[in-house]
Amino acid sequence: MTLSTSPRVVKAGLVLVDPKSAQVRRVIALQYNPEKLTRSLQMQGMGEPVDRAEALRLRGPAVETFRIEAEIDAADQLEFPDRHATTVEAGIAPQLAVLEGLVNPAAGDLLASRALAAAGTLEIAPMESALVLFVWGANRIVPVRVTDFSIVEEAFDPSLNPINATVTLGLRSLSVDDLGFDHKGGGLFMAYLQSRERLAGKAATFGFDALGIGGLP
């Protein structure tokens, strides 16, 4: 028996949660963790021009965005075709279809809306989609909306099923400003914000001497 000293790698991914019952609908684990995660935080100040009394006020949490590139590859599965009949049949197309579902309403929902319109319903509210959680380790679980999504299919089997692709996902955090404090996603955002504050509390603190100055003028 061979014992590995390599640490167990936590999978990054997306979790789809029912916004009302909070039940998990689907877990989408990335096959390989991306090597790079791009983050951007846009501060929500009081706008321009700003009154002097409002210059230091924040009107809400910063809008955080994420961008990741993930590779999906069928090589490992095709090495053992007897164990992975679906991959042999369709390549990685099923995995791509799952991700496409993040930006498309379900066909059943569209047909239901059409039936309501045909029955004379005057106002038809769009169906509420699942709440998407971006999971990047235990300290980064944040509700998000998918803002853009692209796929580059780079290799194909003889039936032209994709067997290698790079997926780029753009995500925007959903805060209490978007969802409210009583929404399940709002509570998850507050837990995420509090976890970031706890991490900040672990950072080393320094006095003015670290800046090479004696103190404030």
Side-chain angles (χ1 to χ4, degrees), residues 24-43:
V24 175
R25 292 184 182 177
R26 182 187 288 273
V27 176
I28 306 174
L30 300 179
Q31 185 180 12
Y32 308 109
N33 287 343
E35 296 183 358
K36 180 172 67 173
L37 171 66
T38 303
R39 303 169 58 215
S40 174
L41 288 92
Q42 181 180 358
M43 184 185 73

Side-chain angles (χ1 to χ4, degrees), residues 39-213:
R39 303 169 58 215
S40 174
L41 288 92
Q42 181 180 358
M43 184 185 73
Q44 293 204 78
M46 299 305 295
E48 298 291 345
V50 61
D51 185 271
R52 290 179 181 178
E54 307 291 332
L56 301 180
R57 297 185 187 276
L58 298 174
R59 60 184 174 85
V63 177
E64 185 172 13
T65 58
F66 305 90
R67 179 165 293 274
I68 58 174
E69 285 191 1
E71 183 182 0
I72 304 176
D73 192 275
D76 292 343
Q77 288 75 26
L78 293 177
E79 189 176 354
F80 304 98
D82 294 341
R83 305 180 197 171
H84 303 282
T86 300
T87 305
V88 173
E89 176 188 357
I92 59 172
Q95 292 95 312
L96 297 179
V98 167
L99 292 170
E100 289 166 24
L102 296 171
V103 294
N104 279 315
D109 291 343
L110 292 175
L111 292 172
S113 296
R114 180 176 181 271
L116 288 172
T121 303
L122 295 179
E123 184 176 354
I124 303 172
M127 298 292 181
E128 188 173 20
S129 62
L131 174 65
V132 180
L133 305 179
F134 175 50
V135 179
W136 188 280
N139 291 319
R140 192 173 294 158
I141 301 175
V142 55
V144 296
R145 180 176 66 229
V146 179
T147 56
D148 58 276
F149 174 47
S150 65
I151 305 169
V152 179
E153 298 179 2
E154 300 174 296
F156 304 87
D157 66 12
S159 299
L160 293 184
N161 295 309
I163 55 175
N164 181 273
T166 299
V167 172
T168 302
L169 275 172
L171 308 170
R172 177 194 181 279
S173 66
L174 295 176
S175 73
V176 289
D177 283 352
D178 303 296
L179 301 170
F181 283 92
D182 295 331
H183 192 282
K184 178 65 176 176
L188 289 167
F189 173 80
M190 290 302 298
Y192 168 65
L193 186 61
Q194 290 164 344
S195 73
R196 304 304 293 177
E197 291 173 353
R198 287 193 296 271
L199 285 174
K202 295 180 180 181
T205 56
F206 302 94
F208 281 103
D209 55 330
L211 302 177
I213 59 177

